[in-house]
Amino acid sequence: MEVRNNLTQCPQGHFYNAAIYSSCPHCEGIVPDHFSETIDISNSGAQAGAFPPTMDPSGGYRSQGAQGSDGLDPFSSPTIIGGDIAEGNQVEPVVGWLVCIDGPVKGNDFRIHAGYNYIGREIGDIHIQGDLQISRQNHAMVAFDSSDGVYYVGPSAGRNLMKVNGKTVLNAVEIKNYDIISIGSTQLMFVALCGPHFSWNKGVES
């Protein structure tokens, strides 16, 4: 049996199919509350088979081109893949890592960037939390000179001594791949990225 679609609006503003119901099923409680109200597409400007208008997160329908409080259409922004692409937000390239092989933060790795990288327990480029033998800030520093591709490590303002491969260092010394830096009860393995085979200026070298 064919049921014709005869949309009728009740005094309360509900639309219902008069070919099925003799009175408004919404007002009589026949239709459960969680069902949404029927939209009369004959007066909405939509064509048969078209998708309903985009729902504004604030709760209402928003027509194409409508603007938000900032003057921009929140539904016209392109999808961003892979993170923040804000203008001027350039990533500072990593040139190496310190990997904690013993101590309170064992298993963690810390990025090294070109120039100075200061090590501290709470403040600095590299945070070694939980090791009370490391000064709160500027205990030591790791540096990378991008012009000659050399890495250095040395004490800064820390109160306790530091060692490289078991030897105490009082001034900055050059470090090589897999050297072990000991600060307090923490041991850090140095892993270089830039060197004979790669640099950010020249790329991969054979």
Side-chain angles (χ1 to χ4, degrees):
M1 181 180 70
E2 179 182 1
V3 178
R4 298 177 59 85
N5 185 18
N6 183 11
L7 287 180
T8 303
Q9 186 176 16
C10 77
Q12 299 298 324
H14 302 129
F15 287 94
Y16 65 96
N17 192 342
I20 300 176
Y21 301 101
S22 59
S23 60
C24 176
H26 298 275
C27 297
E28 296 183 3
I30 298 176
V31 178
D33 292 339
H34 63 271
F35 284 169
S36 59
E37 178 179 296
T38 303
I39 299 175
D40 183 6
I41 61 173
S42 63
N43 296 323
S44 64
Q47 299 183 5
F51 288 106
T54 303
M55 177 67 77
D56 187 338
S58 63
Y61 288 103
R62 172 165 292 196
S63 60
Q64 183 178 5
Q67 295 182 342
S69 59
D70 55 2
L72 301 176
D73 181 3
F75 302 103
S76 64
S77 301
T79 301
I80 297 174
I81 300 176
D84 188 6
I85 58 172
E87 184 176 352
N89 185 19
Q90 297 181 352
V91 175
E92 186 178 3
V94 62
V95 299
W97 298 268
L98 292 179
V99 181
C100 183
I101 59 173
D102 197 11
V105 293
K106 181 178 179 179
N108 285 282
D109 65 291
F110 306 92
R111 291 184 175 185
I112 300 172
H113 301 97
Y116 290 102
N117 300 262
Y118 289 96
I119 301 173
R121 190 176 70 249
E122 297 179 8
I123 299 175
D125 303 292
I126 299 172
H127 297 168
I128 311 294
Q129 297 179 341
D131 192 336
L132 298 181
Q133 298 181 53
I134 297 178
S135 298
R136 184 169 176 267
Q137 61 181 339
N138 297 341
H139 186 104
M141 65 85 190
V142 178
F144 175 66
D145 186 344
S146 57
S147 62
D148 58 11
V150 178
Y151 297 85
Y152 300 91
V153 68
S156 183
R159 298 180 61 86
N160 293 317
L161 297 175
M162 63 177 297
K163 297 182 179 183
V164 175
N165 297 328
K167 296 182 178 180
T168 300
V169 295
L170 302 178
N171 298 294
V173 296
E174 184 178 347
I175 51 175
K176 302 291 187 180
N177 223 8
Y178 301 113
D179 280 349
I180 305 298
I181 302 168
S182 300
I183 308 175
S185 61
T186 298
Q187 289 191 335
L188 303 166
M189 178 181 287
F190 167 66
V191 181
L193 171 63
C194 297
H197 303 293
F198 173 81
S199 69
W200 289 107
N201 295 329
K202 300 179 182 179
V204 179
E205 301 180 15
S206 58

